[in-house]
Amino acid sequence: MTLPTPQSLFGLQFPSDPQLSPDGQMAAYVLSRVEDENQLEQASGAPAKLDDPKPRYFSQIVLASAESSRTLTTGKGRDTAPRWSPEGQSLAFLSDRDGKNQLYLLPLGGGEARALTGKAQFPQGVSAAQWSPDGRKLAFLAPEGEADKRDERGEARVITRLKYRANGSDFLPDVAAALWQLDVESGNITRWLAPQQAISEFAWWPDSRGVLFVSSEDEVSGAMWQQEAYDLPLEGQPRRLTDWASLISNLSPHPDGLRFAAHARLHTERNDSDSHVYVFEPAGESGSEPYSAQRLDHHDFPAGNIVAGDLHVGAFPDKPRWLSGERLLFLATQGGASGLFEVSLSDSAPQPHTFDPERVVVGFTANAGGAVWISESATEVTQVMLNGVQVSHCPAPDFALSIPKRIAFTNELGEGEGWVLMPAGTQSAPALLNIHGGPHTAYGHGFMHEFQLMAARGYAVCYSNPRGSVGYGQAWTSDIFGRWGSIDAEDVLNFFDRCLAELPLDSSRTAVMGGSYGGFMTNWLTSHTPRFQAAVTDRCICNLISFGGTSDIGMRFWDDELGGNFHRSADTDKLWAMSPLKYVEEVKTPTLIIHSVLDHRCPIEQAEQWFTALRLQGVETRFVRFPEENHELSRSGRPDRRAVRLEEYLAWLDRHLGM
């Protein structure tokens, strides 16, 4: 029998960034697929090495209605970020067909797309284009000047800012990207704002008088996730609206042009606190006082989709959307599922709009005329849904899929849950304990090609939501504050023992694996128990002290998670006591280490320390380093590297679990 391979990933398609038409009856979205770059080069007349395949992501814009769909853009480039003009007659989008992303305009009545920006003015490309509601302007972000080539030239780099690198970006630019205005009729482009600190997002006010944007007061505030909202008129300087000093994202201006909704977290709350939907509004009559904020989603679940899935290539919008001046639609995570909920300003008890407890809504847009969203389940790949009608036709993997079996476990807070994907026709299957990252994320009903592949290869794939996971109430999420490696470890092992007791699994052939926080927990478990026959630790953490000074979130992460940080001598004993590296002498489990060189979230020095320590201890260890990739390799990394990663997993498991 021919076993499925990691290359089955190449046959899948990846819809993203669904955008609803102004009348609510059509959708534009991005469809990505994997193709051999060499073959595309040959088709365009360029010389190509067909004996050396280069599988890469390529993407086009698709236009769909309930009755039909058609591809709007073609070619070898990557076309993304479609945005409807307010009258619904054209689409602005980004494309890298000439190198870096530039802004294009496509008339939907016929004709070719024309470039609105070019590499002569924007050699580093543009991003985040948005129409003004009156249709006269497009605003976008773009850095000025040429790209930083100091490393290529071998020049020294002088660092003075607290945060100078970021996962997915490597070194941050010395100057934040500017905000630009483009007059659609004339084509004139003017710099609107050169911000002192980076603009994380912006949104037009409904009367087109200007934009609302999110930034920080200074570079230290930005590094510490202390954000504010600002008003920027068409003419004039920005004005700070809030005194928030905490997370603000997913801006959604109210139709009255005064208020706005957003995902936010109070400044008194930590990273383990769920973000929620707030409405910000002017306070007082003078207009000079900071905006006040009222929480709108009065339920015990976080805003947005936080359920894992590995088909999420591209952008997945999840900002709240006003259906009227009274009603708001938003995305939230409940248990291992997520969906759309509706809430009114007069009654803040959220009501389900599109929620199935065994499905995940990955992203959406909506208006008074309808909604479009991307949905998936554990056994169904991502598809685009327009007003409840499936308008995409993405193929499933070319192997049989396993239906998850729910397994419950209990602890002091009540019942937790997890799932098992069982292989077909096996009486005593080897079992894999998978641990998610975060730790404040969730496994559940998202589609996981990786898990399904492993089940199809004969492994029972066990995955759960221990304390610290989201979607089960704030008490469940926050219960691990200050005690990583204690009750969370108890939960994952308790769950795994339930799997072994309830299902035909081989307890003598087991492995533990996980990424990010899941990599921390993998290292923690193998340094505290010899019960597993193999381990795979991916983008891991092993030394909490060195992590604090090398991670792009290390400046405050341990304060938020554990109540201490690496730069205070009073806290280092506590951090070292929770570091797997302290207990590395107890590790006996053969360990595969997977890490990306440009991972600045969990820096590669963590993997290097773990590898060296294991080798010095005589533990069988294999260290696989991926160039150019970051923390997102397993979810949206280059497809050939994603396949190599899975090949390494399977070879290690087959070897040590006797497959």
Side-chain angles (χ1 to χ4, degrees):
M1 181 182 68
T2 302
L3 294 174
T5 69
Q7 284 71 25
S8 57
L9 178 73
F10 301 166
L12 303 181
Q13 296 177 354
F14 311 90
S16 64
D17 206 356
Q19 297 292 321
L20 188 67
S21 63
D23 66 2
Q25 300 307 301
M26 301 188 74
Y29 65 93
V30 178
L31 186 63
S32 300
R33 82 278 182 203
V34 179
E35 292 197 28
D36 183 354
E37 189 172 60
N38 287 330
Q39 291 184 352
L40 291 179
E41 292 284 350
Q42 184 187 52
S44 65
K49 297 180 180 180
L50 298 183
D51 59 344
D52 182 23
K54 294 171 63 178
R56 301 290 187 271
Y57 294 118
F58 294 89
S59 55
Q60 277 75 48
I61 309 298
V62 177
L63 181 66
S65 68
E67 293 76 31
S68 63
S69 66
R70 60 188 173 102
T71 302
L72 293 178
T73 61
T74 59
K76 64 177 183 178
R78 297 163 182 85
D79 302 329
T80 59
R83 297 296 182 266
W84 290 89
S85 61
E87 85 287 349
Q89 299 302 308
S90 58
L91 280 176
F93 67 96
L94 301 179
S95 179
D96 69 353
R97 58 189 63 180
D98 290 320
K100 297 292 185 179
N101 272 338
Q102 300 294 341
L103 182 58
Y104 290 77
L105 185 64
L106 177 66
L108 296 179
E112 295 296 318
R114 62 183 177 94
L116 299 178
T117 65
K119 57 186 176 184
Q121 184 172 7
F122 300 107
Q124 299 184 63
V126 309
S127 65
Q130 293 189 40
W131 289 90
S132 62
D134 62 11
R136 297 174 55 198
K137 297 180 182 295
L138 280 158
F140 58 89
L141 293 170
E144 298 188 75
E146 297 289 338
D148 183 352
K149 295 184 178 180
R150 279 175 286 184
D151 289 352
E152 295 177 28
R153 294 193 294 260
E155 297 177 5
R157 185 180 293 273
V158 178
I159 306 296
T160 59
R161 291 177 301 162
L162 176 60
K163 183 173 181 178
Y164 58 91
R165 290 189 302 186
N167 187 66
S169 302
D170 203 15
F171 286 103
L172 294 172
D174 292 334
V175 178
L179 181 64
W180 302 80
Q181 284 184 33
L182 183 151
D183 184 279
V184 177
E185 182 176 355
S186 68
N188 292 335
I189 300 173
T190 56
R191 188 177 67 182
W192 194 355
L193 179 68
Q196 294 299 306
Q197 307 302 322
I199 294 174
S200 60
E201 64 176 276
F202 68 91
W204 283 92
W205 289 109
D207 60 2
S208 301
R209 71 177 187 271
V211 296
L212 174 70
F213 72 89
V214 173
S215 187
S216 296
E217 283 292 280
D218 52 61
E219 62 103 1
V220 174
S221 297
M224 303 300 284
W225 311 337
Q226 296 168 351
Q227 297 176 310
E228 305 294 346
Y230 300 80
D231 174 52
L232 178 65
L234 289 175
E235 303 290 342
Q237 296 302 307
R239 177 174 67 95
R240 178 174 161 180
L241 300 180
T242 59
D243 185 14
W244 194 248
S246 189
L247 170 73
I248 304 177
S249 65
N250 292 292
L251 299 172
S252 185
H254 187 273
D256 67 8
L258 299 174
R259 296 172 283 180
F260 66 91
H263 294 177
R265 183 187 297 137
L266 297 172
H267 75 276
T268 55
E269 296 177 324
R270 304 181 303 252
N271 185 58
D272 62 349
S273 298
D274 292 338
S275 63
H276 289 283
V277 179
Y278 283 79
V279 172
F280 293 78
E281 59 186 4
E285 298 180 0
S286 67
S288 61
E289 298 177 35
Y291 271 41
S292 62
Q294 298 295 325
R295 182 173 156 188
L296 197 58
D297 61 335
H298 288 283
H299 63 183
D300 200 9
F301 304 105
N305 170 54
I306 319 179
V307 181
D310 62 5
L311 301 188
H312 304 165
V313 176
F316 296 90
D318 65 348
K319 75 176 184 179
R321 300 282 174 161
W322 293 100
L323 305 180
S324 69
E326 176 70 15
R327 295 159 51 235
L328 187 72
L329 193 65
F330 68 96
L331 182 58
T333 296
Q334 289 193 14
S338 64
L340 301 177
F341 296 81
E342 188 175 325
V343 67
S344 71
L345 294 177
S346 58
D347 179 8
S348 56
Q351 300 299 318
H353 174 281
T354 303
F355 178 73
D356 183 327
E358 294 187 352
R359 296 193 68 85
V360 168
V361 172
V362 185
F364 84 105
T365 58
N367 58 34
V372 59
W373 61 92
I374 291 180
S375 177
E376 66 184 4
S377 75
T379 57
E380 297 178 7
V381 299
T382 47
Q383 302 287 0
V384 180
M385 308 294 293
L386 174 61
N387 297 321
V389 177
Q390 181 178 319
V391 296
S392 63
H393 305 283
C394 301
D398 58 358
F399 55 82
L401 301 179
S402 176
I403 298 174
K405 177 177 177 57
R406 183 180 184 272
I407 300 291
F409 62 94
T410 59
N411 57 38
E412 293 87 343
L413 294 183
E415 183 178 270
E417 66 177 343
W419 300 266
V420 181
L421 297 179
M422 289 293 293
T426 302
Q427 295 302 313
S428 184
L432 312 179
L433 174 59
N434 286 267
I435 305 165
H436 67 63
H440 311 306
T441 61
Y443 278 144
H445 301 285
F447 190 90
M448 293 289 291
H449 168 265
E450 176 178 322
F451 287 2
Q452 290 286 357
L453 175 65
M454 291 180 178
R457 293 283 293 247
Y459 294 101
V461 182
C462 310
Y463 51 105
S464 68
N465 288 329
R467 279 171 285 184
S469 306
V470 299
Y472 300 88
Q474 190 61 63
W476 187 274
T477 303
S478 298
D479 205 34
I480 66 168
F481 175 75
R483 43 183 185 166
W484 280 27
S486 59
I487 59 172
D488 46 355
E490 293 173 8
D491 281 358
V492 295
L493 292 179
N494 185 5
F495 160 73
F496 194 52
D497 287 339
R498 296 308 312 153
C499 295
L500 295 173
E502 296 183 22
L503 298 170
L505 307 180
D506 186 348
S507 61
S508 68
R509 292 189 295 161
T510 64
V512 60
M513 60 192 63
S516 194
Y517 163 81
F520 160 85
M521 184 56 69
T522 296
N523 297 343
W524 183 267
L525 291 178
T526 58
S527 63
H528 285 77
T529 174
R531 66 180 288 176
F532 298 101
Q533 285 69 54
V536 183
T537 187
D538 203 325
R539 55 193 186 278
C540 73
I541 300 171
C542 72
N543 183 340
L544 276 59
I545 296 175
S546 65
F547 175 94
T550 56
S551 168
D552 66 349
I553 60 173
M555 287 73 76
R556 65 170 282 177
F557 189 67
W558 294 139
D559 279 323
D560 274 9
E561 293 290 336
L562 304 175
N565 215 338
F566 78 106
H567 63 291
R568 294 188 288 266
S569 60
D571 297 338
T572 54
D573 286 348
K574 177 180 181 179
L575 294 179
W576 183 240
M578 284 186 277
S579 296
L581 191 60
K582 178 179 180 179
Y583 313 99
V584 70
E585 293 170 283
E586 304 302 320
V587 178
K588 309 299 180 188
T589 308
T591 301
L592 171 65
I593 302 172
I594 302 284
H595 221 104
S596 296
V597 173
L598 296 182
D599 187 340
H600 297 311
R601 186 61 37 80
C602 296
I604 198 166
E605 58 89 13
Q606 295 287 312
E608 292 167 341
Q609 290 188 64
W610 196 239
F611 170 75
T612 303
L614 291 179
R615 284 300 312 272
L616 290 174
Q617 289 299 121
V619 177
E620 182 184 355
T621 312
R622 180 178 175 88
F623 183 13
V624 183
R625 302 164 59 103
F626 285 91
E628 301 176 338
E629 297 291 346
N630 59 54
H631 200 65
E632 302 305 310
L633 169 62
S634 66
R635 296 177 280 257
S636 58
R638 211 174 77 180
D640 56 329
R641 293 175 181 150
R642 289 181 66 179
V644 170
R645 171 182 170 274
L646 291 175
E647 287 172 348
E648 291 285 347
Y649 267 66
L650 289 168
W652 191 256
L653 296 171
D654 289 352
R655 174 181 174 184
H656 290 283
L657 301 188
M659 294 295 286

